[in-house]
């Protein structure tokens, strides 16, 4: 029977105390939504990337025989392996044809699936790009015969299929059959791509080691194994750091949730004193008195979680519809797990808050029936010669319950600290300065779009590209004539085998070092010399990213080490003269540009990038120059990267970060402000009789208002002081941490003084409005 009475009391109390009930319910809902959305976003992003990577490839084998492929296919660890062959590009008038053979697995791995008809099976069957027919203004359909030169003279072929794809520059793909490849005797120079089963179960090093062991088992040399770097990059896209960040945010939110919920439950307990005293008078024990708090927790928790679940799916669907649908279709169990864990977290915070007020509940006895409110006599004794003034009464109101005061101050202070820290990060993240790290002395970069001398693993193809490279003297001369271009810097490079002092080797790119880069390299030099003349005179090399080289090749780079470079039958020995750590560079090795020709022929065109610096760097001038350059290189398979594009990309990233951080801050501030309003209203309600007595003995409206405003100022001073000091410490600590990052570091520290002042003004005004509203509603009516 008592339990039924207590349940009825709790239900009635929640209905009557709508403000407190709404405040704690809002805190539960916002906490639940925040935790769920962060978890769902993180898990869905990781699972989507894993799904994409599971269906992709992790490595390529070059110079491989078809029979070796058949053996690898039988391995249990292989999900799929595709085989193909790429011929040197064929120039036909002002266009290029890329002739290639790809089996069905390789086409699937390369997402080459927009084909109408059948793949070539016979020597005289081919697939031609639809865009090629548009270019030559010719109509053709499957089964037609077409005359085309694939590099061996004009011949007639049967059209077995049509490929729906865009041309790369003026390069058009042509697919041929395996018989066509075998006709030229290319039996040991195929390429293949492999996709391992469940690759995400391995670490990067474990997966690479597994692939190397597999290659060695079938006689494939390590140098002919090329890992798909983008796979391993995306493999860590949702990495441990993100989970640490989510954990840290969860802990912050958990602390704030605890402070707010504890404060509200504590206020409930204070207002329940007389009701609990009645229960104790009629025989209720301490456990039954605590039942009031536990029942509130159960009701509020269940309602908050139900509403929070609806809010979570609504907000996540609006912002991340694809990710939510993916989870429902592929991994619905993850949604259930996240909801269960979030619910347990919320009940844990509620229960912890209840435990913290347990001692206060246990101390309530029947004598509470004969007291009006919490005693302040012990506070008055601390004051000698005091006068009853509005300021003194405000001091008594604040000091009578230091626990409630402390929790309220802390909850709002943490929200302010997070606000300051967030804005410090956003202001330090300057898109223009970040873009300038990649565009130190230039504004426009022109590079080969694909199959450049730096990413090709086919020697014959590389030779062809070096002879047909569109970045030649004529193009450079034309670019120099473009209005507003001040200087054209030519970057050269070659893909060759490097052999470290410990014998490890791999095919890597070597960049040609020029005097124009000397100052830039010097600024990033860890040790040694960056002088072009010293390098050229001593057959020197500057080694970049020594930690990465140590990780992948076991070579602890030191000044004076000798490293070898091999290309075909040529060899170049170089001495390590300098060591750098440049993340925005194009490779591991810098040698004098003239030294590159010790590996390549003198007639080779090793140019792979042009860096253009402009006279007028204003926004309008840059856009006009970019347009002129695009029109000039449009007919070539070249890619244009610009400083303005980099700025735009960083702005998009900044916008995403800003949206996330401000959303988190907003949620926490709403919870904190809700707690402030609830605390102020509760203070007024709990002292209604006391305030009425003050009115009877002569307190005027202005004196009462002054007392309430003084009370508000007491809270505000401490909240803002804590926010200012700890916010400055935390924001500067974050700035120092960011500055150490090689990519986004080097920003200027700027304390968000405007945001702090807006925050201070906002909570001060809200406090005043709340107290004045409570004064009008609860005091004047008495």
């Amino acid at each position: 029977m008592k339990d039924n009475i207590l349940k009825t009391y709790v239900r009635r109390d929640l209905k009557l105390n709508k403000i407190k009930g709404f405040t704690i319910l809002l805190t539960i809902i916002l906490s639940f939504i925040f935790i769920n959305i962060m978890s769902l976003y993180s898990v869905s992003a990781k699972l989507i990337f894993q799904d994409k990577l599971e269906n992709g490839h992790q490595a390529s084998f070059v110079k491989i025989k078809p029979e070796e492929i058949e053996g690898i296919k039988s391995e249990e660890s292989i999900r799929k392996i595709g085989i193909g062959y790429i011929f040197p590009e064929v120039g036909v008038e002002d266009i290029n044809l890329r002739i290639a053979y790809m089996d069905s697995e390789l086409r699937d791995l390369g997402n080459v699936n927009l084909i109408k008809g059948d793949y070539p099976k016979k020597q005289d069957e081919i697939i031609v790009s639809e865009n090629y027919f548009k270019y030559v203004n010719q109509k053709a359909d499957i089964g037609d015969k077409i005359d085309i030169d694939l590099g061996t003279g004009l011949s007639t072929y049967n059209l077995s299929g049509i490929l729906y794809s865009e041309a790369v520059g003026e390069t058009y793909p042509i697919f041929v059959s395996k018989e066509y490849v075998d006709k030229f005797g290319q039996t040991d120079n195929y390429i293949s791509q492999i996709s391992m089963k469940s690759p995400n179960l391995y670490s990067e090093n474990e997966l690479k080691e597994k692939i190397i062991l597999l290659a060695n088992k079938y006689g494939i040399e390590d140098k002919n194994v090329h890992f798909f770097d983008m796979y391993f990059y995306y493999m860590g896209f949702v990495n441990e750091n993100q989970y640490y960040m989510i954990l840290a945010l969860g802990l912050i939110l958990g602390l704030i949730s605890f402070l707010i919920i504890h404060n509200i439950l504590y206020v409930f307990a204070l207002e329940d004193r007389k009701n609990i005293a009645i229960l104790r008078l009629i025989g209720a024990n301490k456990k039954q008195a605590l039942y009031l708090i536990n029942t509130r927790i159960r009701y509020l928790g269940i309602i908050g979680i139900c509403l929070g679940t609806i809010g979570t799916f609504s907000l996540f669907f609006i912002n991340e519809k694809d990710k939510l649908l993916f989870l429902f279709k592929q991994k619905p169990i993850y949604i259930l797990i996240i909801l269960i864990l979030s619910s347990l977290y919320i009940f844990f915070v509620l229960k912890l808050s209840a435990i913290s007020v347990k001692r206060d509940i246990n101390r309530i006895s029947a004598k509470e029936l004969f007291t009006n409110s919490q005693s302040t006599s012990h506070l008055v004794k601390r004051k000698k010669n005091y006068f009853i003034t509005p300021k003194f009464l405000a001091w008594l109101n604040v000091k009578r319950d230091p626990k409630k005061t402390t929790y309220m101050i802390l909850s709002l202070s943490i929200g302010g600290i997070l606000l300051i820290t967030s804005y410090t990060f956003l202001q330090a993240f300057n898109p223009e300065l970040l873009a300038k790290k990649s565009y130190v002395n230039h504004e426009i970069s022109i590079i080969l779009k694909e199959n450049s001398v730096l990413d090709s693993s086919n020697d014959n193809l590389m030779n062809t590209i070096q002879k047909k490279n569109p970045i030649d003297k004529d193009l450079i001369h034309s670019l120099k004539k473009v209005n507003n271009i001040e200087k054209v810097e030519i970057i050269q490079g070659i893909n060759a085998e490097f052999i470290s002092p410990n014998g490890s080797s791999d095919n890597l790119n070597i960049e040609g070092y020029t005097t124009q880069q000397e100052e830039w390299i010097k600024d990033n030099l860890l040790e040694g010399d960056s002088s072009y003349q010293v390098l050229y005179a001593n057959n020197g090399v500057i080694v970049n990213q020594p930690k990465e080289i140590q990780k992948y090749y076991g070579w602890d780079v030191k000044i004076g080490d000798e490293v070898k470079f091999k290309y075909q039958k040529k060899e170049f020995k170089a001495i390590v003269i300098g060591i750098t750590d440049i993340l925005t560079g194009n490779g591991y090795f810098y040698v004098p540009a003239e030294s590159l020709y010790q590996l390549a022929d003198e007639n080779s065109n090793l140019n792979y990038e042009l860096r253009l610096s402009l006279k007028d760097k204003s926004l309008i001038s840059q856009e006009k120059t970019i347009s002129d350059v695009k029109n000039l290189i449009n007919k070539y398979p070249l890619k244009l990267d610009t400083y303005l594009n980099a700025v735009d990309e960083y702005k998009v990233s900044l916008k995403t970060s800003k949206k996330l951080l401000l959303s988190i801050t907003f949620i926490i501030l709403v919870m904190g402000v809700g707690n402030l309003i609830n605390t102020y209203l509760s203070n007024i309600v709990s002292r209604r009789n006391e305030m009425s007595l003050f009115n009877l003995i002569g307190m005027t409206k202005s004196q009462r208002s002054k007392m309430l405003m003084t009370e508000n100022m007491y809270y505000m001073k401490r909240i803002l002081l804590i926010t200012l000091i700890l916010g400055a410490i935390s924001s500067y600590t974050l700035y120092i941490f960011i500055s150490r990052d090689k990519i986004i570091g080097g920003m200027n520290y700027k304390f968000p003084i405007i945001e702090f002042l807006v925050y201070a003004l906002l909570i001060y005004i809200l406090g005043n409005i709340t107290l004045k509203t409570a004064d009008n509603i609860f005091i004047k009516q008495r």
Side-chain angles (χ1 to χ4, degrees), residues 42 59 218 281 367 440 448 499 531 752 757:
S42 177
Y218 290 90
L281 185 64
K367 71 177 183 179
V440 181
L448 290 168
I499 304 173
S531 167
L757 293 175

Side-chain angles (χ1 to χ4, degrees), residues 44-58:
S44 62
K46 186 174 181 65
L47 290 175
I48 287 172
F49 269 100
Q50 285 182 347
D51 183 68
K52 289 182 178 179
L53 295 177
E54 285 275 2
N55 296 309
H57 71 284
Q58 294 83 43

Side-chain angles (χ1 to χ4, degrees), residues 243-273:
Y243 289 107
Y244 291 144
M245 182 186 72
I246 293 172
L247 178 62
L249 291 173
L251 290 174
I252 293 173
L253 186 64
L255 176 60
I256 295 174
S257 300
F258 170 76
L259 291 172
I260 295 173
I261 292 172
H262 173 275
N263 196 41
I264 297 171
L265 290 177
Y266 182 67
V267 170
F268 268 123
L270 291 179
E271 295 185 4
D272 281 337
R273 298 180 77 90

Side-chain angles (χ1 to χ4, degrees), residues 6 39 95 99 198 201 234 239 245 252 547 587 599 709 759:
L6 293 177
S39 301
I95 65 171
I99 299 95
S198 304
L201 296 178
Y234 286 122
N239 53 32
M245 182 186 72
I252 293 173
K547 291 182 180 179
L599 292 172
M709 295 308 102
Y759 169 73

Side-chain angles (χ1 to χ4, degrees), residues 483-754:
N483 187 37
N484 196 36
I485 290 183
E486 181 178 32
K487 183 175 63 177
V488 177
E489 181 183 355
I490 304 167
I491 306 299
Q492 295 183 321
I494 190 171
N495 194 357
E497 180 186 4
F498 104 96
I499 304 173
S500 70
N502 63 6
S504 58
S505 64
D506 198 356
N507 283 328
L508 296 174
N509 54 297
I510 310 167
E511 184 171 319
Y513 178 49
T514 66
T515 54
Q516 291 175 303
Q517 296 171 285
E518 197 169 317
E519 194 65 31
W520 175 59
I521 292 288
K522 184 178 180 181
D523 291 339
N524 293 277
L525 200 65
L526 296 178
E527 59 177 308
D529 201 332
S530 63
S531 167
Y532 181 89
Q533 295 300 326
V534 172
L535 252 70
Y536 184 65
N538 296 279
N539 282 340
V541 59
I542 294 177
V543 180
N544 188 33
Q545 299 182 42
K547 291 182 180 179
E548 291 292 305
I549 291 177
Q550 168 70 29
K551 176 181 177 182
Y552 292 117
Y553 305 107
W555 171 29
D556 186 12
V557 184
K558 292 183 175 60
I559 299 295
D561 286 353
E562 182 182 83
V563 59
K564 297 178 183 178
F565 300 104
K566 285 185 177 181
Y567 175 63
Q568 294 184 342
K569 296 181 180 179
K570 294 187 177 182
E571 182 177 288
F572 170 54
K573 295 180 180 179
I575 303 298
V576 178
I577 300 296
I579 301 175
T580 62
D581 195 7
I582 306 169
L583 297 182
T584 56
N586 289 292
Y588 290 129
F589 304 105
Y590 296 94
V591 302
E594 296 171 74
S595 299
L596 290 176
Y597 289 97
Q598 295 189 40
L599 292 172
D601 296 329
E602 292 184 3
N603 296 325
S604 297
N605 182 355
L606 302 178
N607 302 338
Y608 75 88
E609 182 181 2
L610 299 177
R611 295 174 183 170
L612 314 180
S613 57
L614 309 182
K615 299 173 186 176
D616 185 354
K617 304 182 190 301
S618 65
L619 180 62
I620 296 175
S621 296
Q622 285 197 52
E623 290 178 345
K624 176 64 170 60
T625 307
I626 290 169
S627 177
D628 293 340
V629 172
K630 279 184 178 178
N631 292 332
L632 183 61
I633 69 169
N634 191 42
K635 61 181 179 179
Y636 301 111
L638 297 171
K639 180 182 177 183
L640 193 70
D641 288 331
T642 68
Y643 165 75
L644 292 182
N645 284 343
V647 171
D648 289 340
E649 289 174 2
Y650 281 120
K651 283 182 178 178
V652 171
S653 178
L654 175 62
K655 186 177 180 180
T656 303
S657 300
K658 188 174 183 178
K659 183 179 178 181
L660 174 65
L661 288 173
L662 293 185
S663 297
I664 296 169
T665 305
F666 175 76
I667 289 174
I668 291 175
L669 286 178
V670 167
M671 292 162 60
V673 169
N675 183 39
L676 178 141
I677 294 172
N678 175 71
T679 302
Y680 278 1
L681 292 178
S682 299
N683 286 346
I684 297 295
V685 171
S686 64
R687 303 198 313 264
R688 277 186 296 184
N689 292 335
E690 182 180 307
M691 301 288 273
S692 298
L693 289 174
F694 286 153
N695 292 339
L696 289 175
I697 63 174
M699 176 179 276
T700 64
K701 178 181 177 181
S702 61
Q703 288 174 326
R704 189 175 65 247
S705 178
K706 184 177 181 180
M707 178 189 71
L708 294 176
M709 295 308 102
T710 303
E711 187 175 336
N712 181 49
M713 184 58 69
Y714 178 92
Y715 286 113
M716 293 304 112
K717 284 180 180 178
R718 283 150 183 79
I719 289 170
L720 295 178
L721 184 62
I722 294 173
T723 299
L724 183 64
I725 296 174
L726 296 185
I729 294 172
S730 64
S731 62
Y732 191 75
T733 302
L734 177 64
Y735 162 74
I736 295 296
F737 178 76
I738 293 173
S739 297
R740 294 175 181 174
D741 190 283
K742 294 169 185 173
I743 296 179
I744 65 173
M747 302 293 101
N748 295 322
Y749 176 78
K750 183 180 178 182
F751 185 84
I753 186 66
I754 295 177

Side-chain angles (χ1 to χ4, degrees), residues 17 112 131 144 190 233 299 302 427 488 513 530 575 604 608 633 680 687 765 771:
N17 293 301
V112 183
N131 293 304
D144 292 349
Y190 283 86
Y233 171 76
Y299 285 155
I302 292 172
Q427 290 178 1
V488 177
Y513 178 49
S530 63
I575 303 298
S604 297
Y608 75 88
I633 69 169
Y680 278 1
R687 303 198 313 264
I765 291 174
L771 287 171

